[in-house]
């Protein structure tokens, strides 16, 4: 055996080793992705299944369940309620959370450390505790259980999310930007809208989307605070007691589609920022 | 010349640390003044109080005769170039420069035109649409300058503006800043810890230490005839020594590390007292051993030679301590070349080049 051929041998062995390594990586990644997305895939598949029973193989393709959804008034009402709650809770949280984060970042006051921890605490509290305590409070002050009560409850629980995200971004924003703005004659409002907000915009959008998602599928707090109105997760949950129906799969699929659209929107919005033009 | 800024007994206390301690200072219109000192001497705090970013604990600041002590930064006709430039990352270069005009409600067309003019002043008119992150450090520096002068402030404040640049660029920007000062005719107040920067650019240098002004004067005054030992040591280098003054045969004599020197005649007035003296390394000269007797010589052995190209620094061991002298290479090469380490050398210093200095803590 010549030197050259042994070299070639070794090289081909290295190549096949590298290939094996690459294949095992691919296999691992496929496994992880499967673990993450297979359940969702099954849900989507069954939402088009012609048979009512969840058995494999599927018996045919149908849009029947989606049509049924469209005529289910209760479900549509629940969906509207959920959107109403999530939109209002997100707006309320942003309106309180963004100024709170700015205060925490820019202004020194006694007890600041404690205030910061207190504002973050609700994120660590189980929703069931937030729910019960708010229920007791609302009863005590005579605030009717309603979707509005749910909004306040969600906003309380979500405040921590918004403050944490926005605060973290503000910490990376040099103080000198705001000083420069003031130096150039901008009022406090102008500085906020022309300098601070554009620079924390992505954090605010991100926090808002997260808050919206969390509020949209929240159950524990909603369970305690809603009166006779149902939100979508509550409706699904109550329907489920009668067994999994194909309609549920259809709703699930719609939610997945909407989520994907939202994710794409957020990616687009965030990417626009780093581009060269405004 | 009229006074544009008057500072009266300005003090700033942070917790229990005195940042600026009872400073009074006047700035003339059109002047390029530099606050020079080591970090923590209060120079930046003083500048930030003039800009309106810190509230003084005591004292008053007047701008054009008007008390602006309690007027916020946004309402003062003073603009600042920040150490980190503080360019708005979400705005283009042009919009950064135009920001001050835009918030003041200037018509859009004028904003663009004036921004272009300001950018042209710093040679960056072609980068109007670029984003700050696409520029080099030196270019960002220029944009920050353009942004600060676009509104024609009464005073331009510069907080260590060149410290983030590398050595070559810094030298080039020193020249450009000086030209810009002449071109726009504004009053500049610059803060730096770099003595070369201060000497190169300023009309007047204010040396600060521990929240107080040690001394102020033109670069030449501070270099040629500093009043305090602190300034003599901080700006350039100085051989400092302490000595009692004694009159011998009508001349004031002092003792430099065990060897006698004739002091300048004026020193006679403090005969019998001890004082601080000093001389600059380049004011002394080397005496070749064989040549006739020179007055005012110090004899010692050469401990070290630091070759700098056009000049060389010789460290001479006088026994109790060492002194340094700087020689122009061209002056010595013609004679005998540089002496070797260990050689016995004599150096001569003329009386009038010996400086009588106040003690370091002097105000």
């Amino acid at each position: 055996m010549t030197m050259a051929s042994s070299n070639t041998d070794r090289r081909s062995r290295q190549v096949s080793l590298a290939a094996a390594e690459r294949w095992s990586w691919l296999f691992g990644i496929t496994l992880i992705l499967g673990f993450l997305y297979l359940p969702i895939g099954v849900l989507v598949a069954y939402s088009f299944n012609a048979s009512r029973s969840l058995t494999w193989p599927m018996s045919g393709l149908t849009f029947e369940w989606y049509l049924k959804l469209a005529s289910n008034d209760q479900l549509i009402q629940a969906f509207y309620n959920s959107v109403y709650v999530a939109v209002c809770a997100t707006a309320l949280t942003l309106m309180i959370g963004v100024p709170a984060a700015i205060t925490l970042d820019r202004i020194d006051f006694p007890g600041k450390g404690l205030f910061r921890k207190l504002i973050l605490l609700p994120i660590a509290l189980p929703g069931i505790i937030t729910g019960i305590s708010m229920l007791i409070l609302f009863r005590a002050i005579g605030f009717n259980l309603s979707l509005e009560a749910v909004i306040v409850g969600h906003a309380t629980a979500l405040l921590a999310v918004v403050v944490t995200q926005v605060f973290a971004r503000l910490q990376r924003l040099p103080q000198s930007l705001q000083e420069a703005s003031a130096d150039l004659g901008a009022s406090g409002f102008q500085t906020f809208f022309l300098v601070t907000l554009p620079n924390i915009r992505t954090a605010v959008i991100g926090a808002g989307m997260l808050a919206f998602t969390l509020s949209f599928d929240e159950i524990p707090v909603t369970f305690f605070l809603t009166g006779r109105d149902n939100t979508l997760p509550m409706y699904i949950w109550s329907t489920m007691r009668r067994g999994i129906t194909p309609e549920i799969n259809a709703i699930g699929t719609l939610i997945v589609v909407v989520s994907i659209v939202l994710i794409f929107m957020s990616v687009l919005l965030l990417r626009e920022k780093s581009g060269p033009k405004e | 010349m009229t006074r544009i800024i008057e500072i009266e007994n300005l003090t700033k206390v942070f917790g229990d640390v005195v940042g600026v301690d009872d400073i009074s200072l006047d700035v003339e219109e059109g002047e390029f003044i530099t606050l020079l000192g080591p970090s923590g001497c209060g120079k930046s705090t003083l500048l930030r109080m003039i800009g309106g970013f810190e509230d003084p604990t005591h004292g008053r600041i007047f701008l054009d005769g008007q008390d602006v002590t309690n007027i916020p930064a946004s309402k003062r006709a003073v603009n600042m170039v920040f150490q980190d430039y503080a360019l708005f990352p979400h705005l283009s270069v042009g919009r950064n420069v135009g920001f001050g005009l835009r918030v003041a409600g200037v018509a859009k067309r004028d904003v663009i035109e004036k921004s272009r003019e300001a950018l042209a002043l710093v040679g960056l008119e072609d980068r109007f649409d670029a984003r700050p992150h696409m520029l080099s450090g030196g270019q960002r520096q220029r944009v920050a300058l353009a942004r600060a002068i676009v509104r024609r402030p009464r005073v331009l404040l510069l907080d260590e503006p060149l410290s983030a640049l590398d050595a070559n660029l810094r030298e080039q920007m020193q020249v450009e800043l000086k030209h810009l000062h002449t071109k726009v005719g504004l009053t500049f107040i610059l803060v730096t810890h770099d003595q070369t920067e201060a000497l190169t650019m300023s009309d007047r240098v204010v040396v600060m230490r521990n929240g107080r002004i040690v001394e102020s004067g033109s670069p030449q005054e501070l270099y040629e005839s500093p009043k305090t030992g602190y300034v003599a040591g901080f700006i350039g280098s100085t051989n400092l020594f302490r000595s009692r003054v004694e009159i011998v045969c009508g001349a004031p004599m002092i003792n430099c590390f065990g060897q006698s020197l004739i002091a300048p005649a004026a020193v006679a007035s403090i005969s019998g007292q001890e004082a601080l003296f000093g001389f600059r390394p380049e004011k002394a000269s080397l005496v070749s051993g064989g040549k006739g007797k020179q007055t005012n010589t110090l004899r010692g052995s050469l401990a070290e030679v630091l070759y700098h190209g056009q000049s060389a620094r010789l460290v001479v061991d006088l026994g109790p301590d060492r002194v340094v002298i700087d020689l122009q290479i061209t002056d010595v090469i013609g004679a005998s070349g540089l002496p070797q380490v260990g050689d016995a050398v004599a150096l001569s210093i003329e009386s009038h080049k010996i400086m009588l200095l106040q003690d370091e803590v002097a105000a």
Side-chain angles (χ1 to χ4, degrees):
Chain A
M1 196 190 272
T2 64
M3 278 291 264
S5 77
S6 90
N7 265 346
T8 324
D9 252 21
R10 198 184 308 149
R11 205 171 301 137
S12 70
R13 199 158 52 234
Q14 274 171 357
V15 167
S16 66
L17 263 178
E21 196 179 326
R22 203 174 314 128
W23 281 113
S24 56
W25 271 112
L26 273 177
F27 180 70
I29 290 167
T30 314
L31 217 61
I32 294 169
L33 285 179
F35 178 68
L36 287 176
Y37 289 104
L38 192 63
I40 297 174
V42 170
L43 175 101
V44 174
Y46 274 124
S47 75
F48 296 106
N49 191 5
S51 159
R52 236 183 192 291
S53 61
L54 303 177
T55 48
W56 195 262
M58 303 197 305
S59 46
L61 190 68
T62 178
F63 289 96
E64 186 193 344
W65 315 121
Y66 289 88
L67 292 172
K68 274 203 170 160
L69 279 189
S71 56
N72 186 338
D73 291 340
Q74 263 187 315
L75 182 134
I76 289 169
Q77 187 55 47
F79 173 79
Y80 283 141
N81 287 345
S82 270
V83 171
Y84 170 66
V85 166
V87 166
C88 293
T90 303
L92 188 62
T93 322
L94 288 178
M95 279 190 298
I96 302 172
V98 173
I102 291 177
T103 311
L104 273 177
D105 180 55
R106 295 297 182 237
I107 301 169
D108 274 312
F109 51 89
K112 181 170 162 175
L114 184 67
F115 176 61
R116 212 184 131 192
K117 290 193 177 69
L118 285 178
I119 237 177
L120 296 188
L121 192 61
I123 207 174
L125 277 180
I128 201 159
I129 304 290
T130 314
I132 292 176
S133 47
M134 290 221 121
L135 176 68
I136 297 170
L137 177 72
F138 287 163
R139 278 275 162 79
I141 61 173
F143 190 49
N144 279 337
L145 294 185
S146 58
L147 288 178
E148 287 70 33
V150 175
I151 291 171
V152 175
H154 283 187
T156 315
L158 294 173
L159 196 58
V161 174
V162 171
V163 172
T164 320
Q165 300 241 336
V166 176
F167 181 74
R169 177 66 57 88
L170 282 167
Q171 289 275 287
R172 283 191 287 137
L173 199 64
Q175 172 97 50
S176 57
L177 288 188
Q178 281 161 70
E179 286 184 351
S181 170
D183 186 57
L184 294 164
S187 66
F189 271 113
Q190 286 174 320
T191 298
F192 178 75
F193 285 109
L194 296 177
V195 175
T196 313
L197 201 54
N199 280 296
I200 61 170
R201 203 189 65 186
T202 53
V204 172
I205 291 173
M209 285 191 164
L210 189 57
F212 184 90
T213 314
L214 290 176
S215 167
F216 194 81
D217 69 20
E218 211 277 348
I219 289 185
V221 174
T222 317
F223 184 81
F224 285 100
L225 297 181
T226 188
R228 282 172 296 128
D229 301 303
N230 249 347
T231 61
L232 190 57
M234 296 271 292
Y235 176 82
I236 294 176
W237 184 70
S238 58
T239 319
M240 293 276 288
R241 281 182 297 187
R242 281 174 268 134
I244 301 173
T245 63
E247 285 109 313
I248 300 291
N249 292 334
I251 307 169
T253 305
L254 286 182
I255 293 176
V256 169
V257 170
V258 170
S259 305
I260 290 173
V261 169
L262 278 180
I263 289 168
F264 264 104
M265 269 170 56
S266 70
V267 168
L268 280 179
L269 278 170
L270 302 191
R271 191 171 51 190
E272 189 191 25
K273 179 176 190 269
S274 51
K277 288 273 175 188
E278 268 188 77
Chain B
M1 291 252 266
T2 51
R3 279 185 193 158
I4 191 162
I5 283 183
E6 290 160 85
I7 292 166
E8 284 179 3
N9 308 100
L10 208 61
T11 300
K12 176 70 184 180
V13 181
F14 298 102
D16 49 357
V17 180
V18 182
V20 169
D21 188 3
D22 195 32
I23 281 185
S24 296
L25 177 72
D26 292 340
V27 179
E28 305 286 336
E29 179 153 18
E31 198 174 20
F32 194 140
I33 188 167
T34 298
L35 307 176
L36 173 68
S39 60
C41 73
K43 56 192 193 299
S44 281
T45 308
L46 178 57
L47 192 78
R48 289 174 58 80
M49 286 195 283
I50 298 172
F53 303 110
E54 304 277 354
D55 293 325
T57 313
H58 302 296
R60 316 218 67 81
I61 301 167
F62 296 88
L63 176 65
D64 283 322
Q66 188 205 350
D67 186 344
V68 295
T69 317
N70 298 315
I71 291 183
S74 56
K75 302 253 163 61
R76 292 190 195 186
V78 163
N79 281 137
M80 172 105 120
V81 175
F82 291 83
Q83 191 169 2
D84 62 355
Y85 314 144
L87 298 180
F88 305 128
H90 62 294
L91 297 180
S92 67
V93 165
R95 286 178 143 248
N96 259 284
V97 175
F99 187 87
L101 302 167
R102 183 174 154 211
V103 297
V106 174
K108 198 165 184 183
R109 180 181 300 185
D110 294 347
V111 172
I112 293 173
E113 190 182 321
K114 287 191 173 158
S115 309
R116 282 197 192 283
E117 278 170 24
L119 276 173
L121 264 179
V122 294
L124 280 178
E125 58 270 53
D126 54 332
R127 302 310 303 268
F128 193 90
D129 292 317
R131 283 296 185 91
H133 69 87
M134 297 156 71
L135 303 181
S136 69
Q139 289 175 325
R140 282 181 216 179
Q141 162 76 76
R142 285 167 220 226
V143 175
L145 271 170
R147 188 177 68 174
I149 58 173
V150 74
R151 298 206 311 168
R152 298 288 149 157
R154 296 291 289 144
V155 178
L156 184 69
L157 308 176
L158 303 116
D159 188 4
E160 306 241 9
L162 309 181
S163 61
L165 305 177
D166 63 49
N168 283 336
L169 201 53
R170 203 180 309 158
E171 226 164 273
Q172 185 192 333
M173 282 305 294
Q174 284 174 13
V175 178
E176 285 193 23
L177 262 182
K178 182 117 187 101
H179 286 170
L180 188 69
H181 176 246
T182 323
K183 240 191 292 186
V184 297
L186 296 174
T187 308
F188 279 33
I189 305 182
L190 179 123
V191 155
T192 183
H193 61 266
D194 183 327
Q195 45 143 327
T196 321
E197 222 169 275
L199 294 181
T200 312
M201 297 189 286
S202 337
D203 298 321
R204 184 153 62 109
V205 180
V206 175
V207 183
M208 289 181 62
R209 189 195 190 196
N210 295 335
R212 288 172 165 269
I213 294 176
V214 183
E215 214 179 315
S216 75
S218 72
Q220 287 96 324
E221 279 166 2
L222 289 185
Y223 190 84
E224 299 291 337
S225 46
K227 294 190 186 70
T228 60
Y230 180 70
V231 170
F234 190 77
I235 297 182
S237 46
T238 298
N239 296 299
L240 291 171
F241 56 97
R242 202 168 273 287
S243 168
R244 179 183 292 279
V245 180
E246 272 159 32
I247 309 286
V248 177
C249 305
M253 300 295 292
I254 53 173
N255 182 312
C256 174
F257 304 122
Q259 304 187 38
S260 283
L261 290 176
I262 302 170
V267 173
S269 60
I270 56 162
S271 90
Q273 296 172 33
E274 204 182 77
L276 184 68
F277 294 91
F279 61 89
R280 295 278 186 195
E282 73 278 11
K283 303 286 184 189
S285 54
L286 198 63
V287 186
S288 333
K291 276 191 185 162
K293 235 188 146 190
Q294 291 261 357
T295 51
N296 262 14
T297 54
L298 298 170
R299 290 177 189 283
S301 65
L302 188 59
E304 218 171 324
V305 177
L306 305 165
Y307 181 73
H308 294 318
Q310 56 179 11
S311 70
R313 172 159 288 193
L314 309 190
V315 182
V316 179
D317 194 347
L318 296 181
D321 212 329
R322 294 171 163 194
V323 295
V324 296
I325 60 171
D326 288 340
L327 299 178
Q328 292 296 315
I329 295 295
T330 46
D331 292 346
V332 280
I333 289 299
S336 49
L338 283 172
Q340 301 294 304
V341 170
D343 285 357
V345 289
L347 52 100
S348 142
I349 171 83
E350 292 171 68
S351 293
H352 70 270
K353 290 179 178 167
I354 297 174
M355 306 179 286
L356 170 63
L357 300 163
Q358 290 164 19
D359 268 333
E360 316 222 338
V361 281

